[in-house]
Amino acid sequence: MRVFVTGATGFIGSAVVRELIDAGHQVLGLARSDAGAQSLMAAGAGVHRGSLEDLESLRSGAMAADGVIHTAFIHDFSNYGPAAEADKRAIETLGDAVAGSDRPLIVTSGTLLAQRQGSFATEEDAPNPSFPRKSEEAALALATNGVRTSVLRLPPSVHGNGDHGFVPRLIDIAREKGVSAYVGDGRNRWPAVHRLDAAHLYRLAIEKGSLATRYHGVADEGIPIREIAEVIGRHLNVPVVSKSREEAANHFGWIGHFFGIDAPASSAQTQAQLAWRPVQPGLIADLNSEHYFEHTPEALVLHD
């Protein structure tokens, strides 16, 4: 299969590219820059120049492939509404390009978007209609018109070497403030997955996925936030402290809102349907690796 991958040079997308190539697929990766193009060629992938805002480049890339994996998103949290709209337009364009065929389209979303009905967010939970990101609605609208579209939800922490998301930002804040903090009693839980396990799931989804199906890329169903803060405090040799919800906004900035959410999620249905089994280290084991404390991240990427 020849697969067009958006976000192909990113933290998750680059792992997806490698997973696909190692499994014998051909990859056409979207690249915005010369550096991105070079990294794709070095990985053995084909290069398709363009960007998420260049809808014609998305259309032509999708039309040249047997399937599409959409991992790209403009992670500008100061302009999240416009970024979400750009994502919606990109999904609609990709869907139009594969319409009328049996070519699969995998769209990325997040477990935080799910309207949790039980103790854990599941694949059956619908997305929250009040959240500005509309990736799932766009994907499932395509599915009602016969496009072979499915949604892969990622947890807020996708970890591994090169991570520049949720956990590195917490480490950065702990360095700046001199304490590693959690909100309230710290019992609220976060799900997580290693990037290599997530990449494997993307491959299974495009090879075997069903129409209009949600998949959960969740390995750790719910790690107490206090446990994460304690590991960070131990590595940085700083105190571990509690912050009230009122104090969290000042201490963590806008990320404090997310840090206080209890958001456990399950992938039981996904594992049963696609025979996916996470095998990489969990978040706490990975966090105990020195690579998380070797540098300060340049940018923050969260997976809602």
Side-chain angles (χ1 to χ4, degrees), residues 174-214:
R175 284 195 178 107
E176 294 172 359
K177 305 286 187 176
V179 297
S180 179
Y182 54 89
V183 180
D185 61 11
R187 293 183 183 178
N188 59 300
R189 297 155 294 173
W190 280 76
V193 68
H194 195 282
R195 68 190 288 254
L196 299 183
D197 283 325
H200 182 54
L201 179 57
Y202 274 102
R203 176 170 70 82
L204 293 176
I206 203 163
E207 290 176 345
K208 303 191 295 183
S210 302
L211 173 67
T213 303
R214 299 187 189 95

Coordinates of all heavy atoms in Angstrom, one line a residue, residues 174-214:
A174 N 8.7 22.9 36.4 CA 9.3 22.6 37.7 C 10.7 23.2 37.8 O 11.1 23.6 38.9 CB 9.4 21.1 37.8
R175 N 11.4 23.2 36.7 CA 12.8 23.9 36.7 C 12.6 25.4 37.0 O 13.4 26.0 37.7 CB 13.4 23.7 35.3 CG 14.0 22.3 35.1 CD 15.0 22.3 33.9 NE 15.6 21.0 33.6 CZ 15.3 20.2 32.6 NH1 14.3 20.6 31.8 NH2 15.9 19.1 32.5
E176 N 11.7 26.0 36.3 CA 11.5 27.4 36.5 C 11.0 27.8 37.9 O 11.5 28.8 38.4 CB 10.4 27.9 35.4 CG 10.8 27.8 34.0 CD 9.7 28.1 33.1 OE1 8.6 28.4 33.6 OE2 9.9 28.1 31.8
K177 N 10.1 27.0 38.4 CA 9.5 27.4 39.7 C 10.2 26.8 40.9 O 10.0 27.3 42.0 CB 8.0 26.9 39.7 CG 7.2 27.3 38.6 CD 6.8 28.8 38.7 CE 5.8 29.2 37.6 NZ 5.3 30.6 37.8
G178 N 11.1 25.8 40.7 CA 11.8 25.2 41.8 C 11.0 24.2 42.6 O 11.5 23.8 43.7
V179 N 9.8 23.9 42.1 CA 9.0 22.8 42.8 C 8.3 22.1 41.7 O 8.0 22.6 40.6 CB 7.9 23.4 43.7 CG1 8.6 24.1 44.9 CG2 6.9 24.3 43.0
S180 N 8.0 20.8 42.0 CA 7.2 20.0 41.1 C 5.8 19.9 41.7 O 5.7 19.3 42.8 CB 7.8 18.6 40.9 OG 7.1 17.8 40.0
A181 N 4.8 20.4 41.0 CA 3.5 20.5 41.6 C 2.5 19.6 40.9 O 2.6 19.2 39.8 CB 3.1 22.0 41.5
Y182 N 1.4 19.4 41.7 CA 0.2 18.7 41.2 C -1.0 19.5 41.7 O -0.9 20.4 42.6 CB 0.1 17.3 41.6 CG 0.3 17.1 43.1 CD1 -0.9 17.1 43.9 CD2 1.5 16.9 43.7 CE1 -0.8 16.9 45.3 CE2 1.6 16.7 45.0 CZ 0.5 16.7 45.8 OH 0.6 16.5 47.2
V183 N -2.2 19.2 41.2 CA -3.4 20.0 41.6 C -4.2 19.2 42.6 O -4.5 18.0 42.4 CB -4.3 20.3 40.3 CG1 -5.5 21.1 40.7 CG2 -3.4 21.1 39.3
G184 N -4.6 19.9 43.7 CA -5.4 19.2 44.7 C -4.7 18.1 45.4 O -3.5 18.2 45.8
D185 N -5.4 16.9 45.4 CA -4.7 15.7 46.0 C -3.9 14.9 45.0 O -3.3 13.9 45.4 CB -5.8 14.8 46.7 CG -6.8 14.3 45.7 OD1 -6.7 14.4 44.5 OD2 -7.9 13.8 46.2
G186 N -3.9 15.4 43.8 CA -3.1 14.7 42.7 C -3.7 13.3 42.3 O -3.0 12.6 41.6
R187 N -4.9 13.0 42.6 CA -5.4 11.7 42.3 C -6.0 11.7 40.8 O -6.3 10.6 40.3 CB -6.5 11.3 43.2 CG -6.0 11.0 44.7 CD -7.2 10.6 45.5 NE -6.8 10.3 46.9 CZ -7.6 10.0 47.9 NH1 -8.9 9.8 47.6 NH2 -7.2 9.8 49.1
N188 N -6.2 12.8 40.3 CA -6.7 12.8 38.9 C -5.7 12.1 37.9 O -4.5 12.2 38.1 CB -7.0 14.3 38.4 CG -5.8 15.2 38.4 OD1 -5.2 15.4 39.5 ND2 -5.4 15.7 37.3
R189 N -6.3 11.5 37.0 CA -5.5 10.5 36.2 C -5.4 11.0 34.7 O -6.3 11.5 34.2 CB -6.1 9.1 36.2 CG -6.2 8.5 37.6 CD -7.3 7.5 37.8 NE -8.6 8.2 37.6 CZ -9.8 7.5 37.6 NH1 -9.8 6.2 37.6 NH2 -10.9 8.2 37.5
W190 N -4.2 10.6 34.1 CA -4.0 10.9 32.7 C -3.6 9.6 32.0 O -2.8 8.8 32.5 CB -2.8 11.9 32.6 CG -3.2 13.3 32.8 CD1 -3.5 13.9 34.0 CD2 -3.5 14.3 31.8 NE1 -3.9 15.2 33.8 CE2 -3.8 15.4 32.5 CE3 -3.3 14.3 30.4 CZ2 -4.1 16.6 31.8 CZ3 -3.6 15.4 29.7 CH2 -4.0 16.6 30.4
P191 N -4.2 9.4 30.8 CA -3.8 8.2 30.0 C -2.5 8.6 29.2 O -2.2 9.7 29.0 CB -5.0 8.0 29.1 CG -5.6 9.4 28.9 CD -5.3 10.1 30.2
A192 N -1.9 7.6 28.7 CA -0.6 7.8 28.0 C -0.4 6.6 27.0 O -0.9 5.5 27.2 CB 0.6 8.0 28.9
V193 N 0.5 6.9 26.0 CA 1.0 5.8 25.1 C 2.3 6.2 24.6 O 2.7 7.4 24.4 CB 0.0 5.6 24.0 CG1 0.0 6.9 23.0 CG2 0.3 4.4 23.2
H194 N 3.2 5.2 24.4 CA 4.5 5.4 23.8 C 4.3 5.6 22.3 O 3.4 5.0 21.6 CB 5.4 4.2 24.0 CG 6.8 4.4 23.7 ND1 7.3 4.5 22.4 CD2 7.9 4.6 24.5 CE1 8.6 4.7 22.5 NE2 9.0 4.8 23.7
R195 N 5.1 6.5 21.7 CA 4.9 6.9 20.3 C 5.1 5.7 19.4 O 4.4 5.6 18.3 CB 5.9 8.0 19.9 CG 7.4 7.5 19.9 CD 8.3 8.7 19.8 NE 8.4 9.3 18.4 CZ 9.4 9.1 17.6 NH1 10.4 8.3 17.9 NH2 9.3 9.6 16.4
L196 N 5.9 4.7 19.7 CA 6.1 3.5 18.9 C 4.8 2.6 18.9 O 4.5 2.0 17.9 CB 7.3 2.8 19.2 CG 8.6 3.6 19.1 CD1 9.8 2.7 19.5 CD2 8.8 4.2 17.7
D197 N 4.2 2.5 20.1 CA 3.0 1.8 20.2 C 1.9 2.5 19.4 O 1.1 1.8 18.7 CB 2.5 1.6 21.6 CG 3.3 0.5 22.3 OD1 3.7 -0.5 21.7 OD2 3.6 0.7 23.6
A198 N 1.8 3.8 19.5 CA 0.8 4.6 18.7 C 1.1 4.4 17.2 O 0.1 4.2 16.4 CB 0.9 6.0 19.1
A199 N 2.3 4.4 16.8 CA 2.6 4.2 15.3 C 2.1 2.9 14.8 O 1.6 2.7 13.7 CB 4.1 4.4 15.1
H200 N 2.3 1.8 15.7 CA 1.9 0.5 15.3 C 0.4 0.5 15.1 O -0.2 -0.2 14.2 CB 2.4 -0.5 16.4 CG 2.0 -1.9 16.0 ND1 2.3 -2.5 14.9 CD2 1.3 -2.8 16.8 CE1 1.9 -3.8 14.9 NE2 1.2 -4.0 16.0
L201 N -0.3 1.2 16.0 CA -1.8 1.2 15.9 C -2.2 1.9 14.6 O -3.2 1.5 14.0 CB -2.4 1.9 17.1 CG -3.9 2.0 17.2 CD1 -4.6 0.6 17.0 CD2 -4.4 2.7 18.4
Y202 N -1.6 3.0 14.3 CA -1.9 3.7 13.0 C -1.8 2.7 11.8 O -2.7 2.6 10.9 CB -1.0 4.8 12.7 CG -1.5 6.1 13.4 CD1 -0.8 6.6 14.6 CD2 -2.5 6.9 12.8 CE1 -1.2 7.8 15.1 CE2 -2.8 8.1 13.4 CZ -2.2 8.5 14.6 OH -2.6 9.7 15.1
R203 N -0.8 1.9 11.8 CA -0.6 0.9 10.7 C -1.7 -0.1 10.7 O -2.3 -0.4 9.7 CB 0.7 0.2 10.8 CG 0.9 -0.9 9.7 CD 2.3 -1.4 9.7 NE 2.7 -2.2 10.8 CZ 2.4 -3.5 10.9 NH1 1.6 -4.1 10.1 NH2 2.8 -4.2 12.0
L204 N -2.1 -0.7 11.9 CA -3.1 -1.6 12.0 C -4.5 -1.0 11.5 O -5.3 -1.7 10.9 CB -3.3 -2.2 13.4 CG -2.1 -3.0 13.9 CD1 -2.4 -3.4 15.4 CD2 -1.9 -4.3 13.1
A205 N -4.7 0.2 11.9 CA -5.9 0.9 11.5 C -6.1 1.1 10.0 O -7.2 0.9 9.5 CB -6.0 2.3 12.3
I206 N -5.0 1.4 9.4 CA -5.1 1.6 7.9 C -5.1 0.3 7.2 O -5.7 0.2 6.1 CB -4.0 2.6 7.4 CG1 -4.4 3.2 6.1 CG2 -2.6 1.8 7.2 CD1 -3.7 4.4 5.7
E207 N -4.5 -0.7 7.8 CA -4.6 -2.0 7.1 C -5.9 -2.8 7.3 O -6.4 -3.4 6.4 CB -3.4 -2.9 7.7 CG -2.0 -2.5 7.2 CD -1.0 -3.3 7.9 OE1 -1.2 -4.0 8.9 OE2 0.2 -3.2 7.4
K208 N -6.5 -2.6 8.5 CA -7.6 -3.5 8.9 C -8.8 -2.7 9.5 O -9.8 -3.3 9.8 CB -7.2 -4.5 10.0 CG -6.0 -5.4 9.6 CD -5.8 -6.5 10.5 CE -5.4 -6.1 11.9 NZ -5.1 -7.2 12.8
G209 N -8.7 -1.4 9.5 CA -9.7 -0.6 10.2 C -11.1 -0.6 9.4 O -11.1 -0.9 8.2
S210 N -12.1 -0.4 10.2 CA -13.5 -0.4 9.7 C -14.0 1.0 9.5 O -13.5 2.0 10.1 CB -14.4 -1.1 10.7 OG -14.0 -2.4 10.9
L211 N -15.0 1.2 8.6 CA -15.6 2.4 8.4 C -16.3 3.0 9.6 O -16.9 2.3 10.4 CB -16.7 2.3 7.3 CG -17.6 3.5 6.9 CD1 -16.7 4.6 6.3 CD2 -18.7 3.0 6.0
A212 N -16.1 4.3 9.8 CA -16.8 5.1 10.9 C -16.5 4.5 12.3 O -17.4 4.4 13.1 CB -18.3 5.2 10.6
T213 N -15.3 4.1 12.5 CA -14.9 3.5 13.8 C -13.9 4.4 14.5 O -13.1 5.0 13.9 CB -14.3 2.1 13.6 OG1 -15.2 1.3 12.9 CG2 -13.9 1.4 14.9
R214 N -14.1 4.5 15.9 CA -13.1 5.2 16.7 C -12.2 4.2 17.3 O -12.6 3.1 17.9 CB -13.8 6.0 17.8 CG -14.8 7.0 17.3 CD -15.3 7.9 18.5 NE -16.3 8.8 18.1 CZ -17.6 8.5 18.3 NH1 -18.0 7.3 18.8 NH2 -18.5 9.4 17.9

